[in-house]
Amino acid sequence: MKNMRFAGMAVFAAVGLGLAGCATGGVPNGGSVTVLDPDAKLDGEITVWSWDVGAVALERLAAEFEDAHDGATVNVVDVGYDNAYDKMSVGFQAGTGLPDVVTIETDAAPGYITQFPKGMLDLNPILGGDEADFDPFKWSAGSDAGGSLRIAPWDSGTVGLYYRTDIIEEAGVDLETIETWDDLIAAGMTIKEKTGHTLLSTDIAAGGGFQMLLQQLGQGLFNDDGEITLDSPEAVRVLTMLQEMNAAGLIKNVTGWDGRVTSAKDGDSAVTAEAVWWIGTLQGDASELSGKYAVLPLPAFDEGGTRTSNNGGSGLAVPTQAKNPQLAAAFVNFVLADADNQLSMMAEEGLFPSYLTALESDYFSEPVEYFGGQPVYETFAELTSQIPPIVYTSDSAEATDIVANAVSAAVLNGGDPATVLADAAKQLATSTGREVAAQP
């Protein structure tokens, strides 16, 4: 949810991880943990924390939930994005002060799950029967090592390839025949030669999309054992590709979120590899470009390979300290495991469903005027179930910072990708105490 996903991780790194080693796990007074009951009587009051359009969506659905459950009251509080992670980290640490439901972004989820293993209730008794109907990557990211679902999937950040149809037409290339990144890079050379535009714009100092591309290969920064995989063959392959693209003049290096948006408005580059929420950014910040964009799946690294990834998204959790956990879990189930409700959040607030059943709606095959009538949501709907699951840990935020420095060292300063990543892996091992995984 929202384009500030990295800011959330930064707050978590500064606040949540600073509490490591002294957390009680969020169980009030060290008491027993509630086991959720799908047949529990539902009444009383709950408080829900979220922000931005997420809070708007939850407040709207809260009224419908109250109508369907006599005697139930749902209070949705927009805690503000800048305050949310400070409040949650302190609340989990103290074992008090949290509401009945909290919003946690996907990148931050595994860190909270690891840091506060008793801080959130297992939602499997309520949602477990619907696992096959959810984005598998999001379900995995919200589950602990034992398979307990601690953070239920809400919205997905399914990634596709946005492209400027006018630039592509001027260059005389056909992106619909593109199968692999090598194909796209070759097209990018033609685009630059014939139009002067770069292939894509990205913030190299922030990682240049490295982790998004790495996930496309089914690889994260850690393996299932929590070992560091920054120097995996897949990581070297991605960084080498970024370095070669930059050396060929195919990358427009920009600074921060505002730089990316400005670059899109100015038409610096022909394509953008980004999540489904980029649609809202384009429509809101570059309305003058209506009719000049289209969408395709990402090119694969190898022919027949995966053609999507994930960037962003969020979930809902019920803290162990919730005063009314049964009603809280029922509300989470009502909001997330219901195709109509998920569809309404897409239509009203632009939250792309993690609930795959919702993606079967005809809504996603409707033409979108901004994209020249292309049913762009249909592309993302088809790709969501293909997002490769990867492993996050409580050290993911620190790893992200180290990776960003490694990308800059290789792409901007010419460092050897394998050497740069090996050094980065050792740095992360030193700072976290984790082992570096043996590479083939």
Side-chain angles (χ1 to χ4, degrees):
M1 182 201 309
K2 210 174 177 182
N3 57 15
M4 297 177 67
R5 52 191 293 275
F6 295 111
M9 286 300 290
V11 171
F12 180 67
V15 180
L17 296 183
L19 302 171
C22 57
T24 63
V27 182
N29 303 317
S32 60
V33 176
T34 299
V35 176
L36 295 172
D37 179 3
D39 299 318
K41 181 181 178 181
L42 303 177
D43 57 17
E45 185 174 345
I46 59 172
T47 298
V48 181
W49 282 2
S50 194
W51 58 82
D52 198 61
V53 295
V56 173
L58 294 177
E59 186 167 9
R60 178 175 56 78
L61 290 176
E64 297 183 18
F65 181 79
E66 291 172 346
D67 289 342
H69 298 84
D70 188 38
T73 301
V74 180
N75 302 307
V76 177
V77 179
D78 187 335
V79 293
Y81 187 85
D82 293 337
N83 297 320
Y85 287 96
D86 290 312
K87 288 177 175 290
M88 282 193 290
S89 293
V90 172
F92 277 120
Q93 163 62 23
T96 186
L98 292 181
D100 301 275
V101 179
V102 294
T103 302
I104 299 178
E105 290 170 299
T106 303
D107 287 353
Y112 273 97
I113 292 169
T114 303
Q115 202 67 39
F116 305 105
K118 298 180 181 179
M120 291 165 279
L121 295 179
D122 180 10
L123 296 170
N124 268 317
I126 306 299
L127 287 166
D130 295 309
E131 178 178 355
D133 293 326
F134 281 94
D135 174 349
F137 160 68
K138 293 294 296 292
W139 190 279
S140 174
S143 298
D144 64 19
S148 295
L149 180 66
R150 304 297 180 179
I151 303 172
W154 184 357
D155 60 309
S156 290
T158 313
V159 174
L161 188 73
Y162 299 78
Y163 67 94
R164 284 283 299 268
T165 54
D166 53 337
I167 296 175
I168 297 304
E169 183 178 350
E170 181 184 353
V173 298
D174 183 3
L175 289 192
E176 295 192 7
T177 64
I178 296 295
E179 294 287 338
T180 67
W181 278 101
D182 286 343
D183 294 340
L184 183 62
I185 291 169
M189 298 297 291
T190 300
I191 292 167
K192 184 172 178 59
E193 177 186 353
K194 293 190 175 182
T195 72
H197 294 278
T198 51
L199 180 61
L200 58 85
S201 299
T202 189
D203 185 351
I204 294 173
F210 172 86
Q211 290 192 64
M212 181 179 69
L213 295 171
L214 184 59
Q215 182 174 358
Q216 190 182 355
L217 285 170
Q219 178 69 60
L221 306 181
F222 304 90
N223 63 19
D224 289 337
D225 296 323
E227 297 173 328
I228 297 164
T229 55
L230 268 66
D231 58 343
S232 67
E234 293 86 355
V236 173
R237 183 178 185 183
V238 170
L239 188 52
T240 300
M241 184 180 78
L242 289 173
Q243 184 185 64
E244 292 176 348
M245 289 173 67
N246 188 61
L250 299 183
I251 293 179
K252 167 76 173 181
N253 187 22
V254 299
T255 302
W257 174 257
D258 289 342
R260 294 185 61 206
V261 173
T262 299
S263 187
K265 287 174 65 68
D266 292 346
D268 293 331
S269 302
V271 308
T272 303
E274 193 48 277
V276 60
W277 45 254
W278 186 248
I279 292 174
T281 300
L282 290 175
Q283 291 174 326
D285 293 327
S287 59
E288 69 276 11
L289 297 177
S290 179
K292 295 184 177 180
Y293 266 101
V295 173
L296 288 169
L298 287 182
F301 275 85
D302 298 299
E303 192 169 344
T306 301
R307 300 194 63 174
T308 190
S309 186
N310 186 85
N311 189 21
S314 55
L316 294 176
V318 178
T320 305
Q321 57 190 268
K323 294 181 176 61
N324 195 339
Q326 304 294 353
L327 185 63
F331 179 66
V332 171
N333 181 59
F334 174 82
V335 171
L336 303 185
D338 183 284
D340 290 338
N341 288 338
Q342 282 269 24
L343 181 60
S344 78
M345 289 189 286
M346 175 68 216
E348 298 291 334
E349 288 86 25
L351 297 171
F352 193 78
S354 292
Y355 194 56
L356 302 179
T357 305
L359 300 178
E360 298 172 1
S361 167
D362 291 341
Y363 174 88
F364 295 94
S365 60
E366 293 178 1
V368 178
E369 182 180 355
Y370 185 92
F371 292 87
Q374 180 188 1
V376 291
Y377 288 116
E378 186 173 54
T379 298
F380 290 102
E382 293 171 351
L383 292 172
T384 297
S385 64
Q386 303 171 33
I387 299 172
I390 59 172
V391 175
Y392 289 100
T393 73
S394 57
D395 295 314
S396 289
E398 185 168 357
T400 293
D401 291 338
I402 290 174
V403 162
N405 292 333
V407 171
S408 293
V411 177
L412 298 180
N413 300 325
D416 174 65
T419 302
V420 164
L421 289 171
D423 290 343
K426 292 175 184 176
Q427 180 185 350
L428 185 59
T430 299
S431 62
T432 64
R434 294 181 182 272
E435 296 291 330
V436 177
Q439 298 300 332

Coordinates of all heavy atoms in Angstrom, one line a residue, residues 3-4 203 255-262 274 277-278 281 285:
N3 N 3.3 4.4 -1.9 CA 4.7 4.3 -2.5 C 5.8 4.5 -1.5 O 6.9 4.6 -1.9 CB 4.8 5.4 -3.6 CG 4.5 6.8 -3.1 OD1 4.5 7.0 -1.9 ND2 4.2 7.7 -4.0
M4 N 5.5 4.6 -0.2 CA 6.5 4.9 0.8 C 7.0 3.7 1.5 O 7.3 3.7 2.7 CB 5.9 5.9 1.8 CG 5.6 7.3 1.2 SD 4.9 8.4 2.4 CE 6.3 8.7 3.5
D203 N 16.4 4.8 -9.5 CA 17.3 5.4 -8.5 C 18.4 4.4 -8.1 O 18.1 3.5 -7.3 CB 16.5 5.8 -7.3 CG 17.3 6.6 -6.2 OD1 18.5 6.6 -6.3 OD2 16.7 7.1 -5.3
T255 N 16.9 10.6 -8.6 CA 17.0 10.6 -7.1 C 15.6 10.5 -6.5 O 14.8 11.4 -6.7 CB 17.7 11.8 -6.7 OG1 19.0 11.9 -7.3 CG2 17.9 11.8 -5.1
G256 N 15.4 9.4 -5.7 CA 14.2 9.3 -4.9 C 12.9 9.2 -5.7 O 12.8 9.1 -6.9
W257 N 11.8 9.2 -4.9 CA 10.5 9.0 -5.5 C 10.1 10.2 -6.4 O 9.6 9.9 -7.5 CB 9.4 8.9 -4.4 CG 8.0 8.9 -4.9 CD1 7.1 9.9 -4.9 CD2 7.4 7.8 -5.5 NE1 5.9 9.5 -5.4 CE2 6.0 8.2 -5.8 CE3 7.8 6.4 -5.8 CZ2 5.1 7.3 -6.4 CZ3 6.8 5.6 -6.4 CH2 5.5 6.1 -6.7
D258 N 10.4 11.4 -6.0 CA 10.0 12.5 -6.8 C 10.8 12.5 -8.1 O 10.2 12.9 -9.2 CB 10.3 13.8 -6.1 CG 9.4 14.1 -4.9 OD1 8.3 13.5 -4.9 OD2 9.7 14.9 -4.0
G259 N 12.0 12.0 -8.1 CA 12.8 11.9 -9.3 C 12.2 10.9 -10.3 O 12.2 11.2 -11.5
R260 N 11.7 9.9 -9.8 CA 11.1 8.9 -10.6 C 9.8 9.4 -11.3 O 9.6 9.2 -12.5 CB 10.8 7.6 -9.8 CG 12.0 6.9 -9.3 CD 11.6 5.6 -8.7 NE 11.0 4.7 -9.6 CZ 10.1 3.7 -9.3 NH1 9.8 3.6 -8.0 NH2 9.6 3.0 -10.2
V261 N 9.0 10.1 -10.5 CA 7.8 10.6 -11.0 C 8.1 11.7 -12.1 O 7.5 11.7 -13.2 CB 6.9 11.2 -9.9 CG1 5.7 11.9 -10.5 CG2 6.4 10.0 -9.0
T262 N 9.0 12.6 -11.8 CA 9.4 13.6 -12.7 C 9.9 13.1 -14.0 O 9.6 13.5 -15.1 CB 10.4 14.6 -12.1 OG1 9.8 15.2 -10.9 CG2 10.8 15.7 -13.0
E274 N 7.5 -1.8 -12.8 CA 6.9 -1.4 -11.5 C 5.6 -2.1 -11.2 O 5.0 -2.8 -12.0 CB 6.7 0.1 -11.5 CG 6.5 0.8 -10.2 CD 7.5 0.3 -9.1 OE1 7.2 -0.8 -8.5 OE2 8.4 1.0 -8.8
W277 N 0.4 -0.6 -8.5 CA 0.0 0.7 -7.9 C 0.6 1.9 -8.7 O 0.2 3.0 -8.5 CB 0.4 0.8 -6.4 CG 1.8 0.4 -6.0 CD1 2.0 -0.8 -5.4 CD2 3.0 1.0 -6.2 NE1 3.4 -0.9 -5.1 CE2 4.0 0.2 -5.6 CE3 3.4 2.2 -6.8 CZ2 5.4 0.6 -5.6 CZ3 4.7 2.6 -6.8 CH2 5.7 1.8 -6.2
W278 N 1.6 1.6 -9.6 CA 2.1 2.7 -10.5 C 1.0 3.3 -11.4 O 1.1 4.4 -11.8 CB 3.3 2.2 -11.2 CG 4.1 3.1 -12.1 CD1 4.1 3.2 -13.4 CD2 4.9 4.2 -11.6 NE1 5.0 4.2 -13.9 CE2 5.5 4.8 -12.8 CE3 5.3 4.7 -10.4 CZ2 6.4 5.9 -12.7 CZ3 6.2 5.7 -10.3 CH2 6.7 6.3 -11.4
T281 N -0.3 6.2 -9.7 CA 0.7 7.3 -9.8 C 0.6 8.0 -11.1 O 0.6 9.3 -11.2 CB 2.1 6.8 -9.5 OG1 2.1 6.2 -8.2 CG2 3.1 7.9 -9.6
D285 N -0.4 11.8 -11.3 CA 0.7 12.8 -11.4 C 1.0 13.1 -12.9 O 1.8 14.0 -13.1 CB 1.9 12.3 -10.7 CG 1.7 12.2 -9.2 OD1 1.0 13.1 -8.7 OD2 2.3 11.3 -8.5

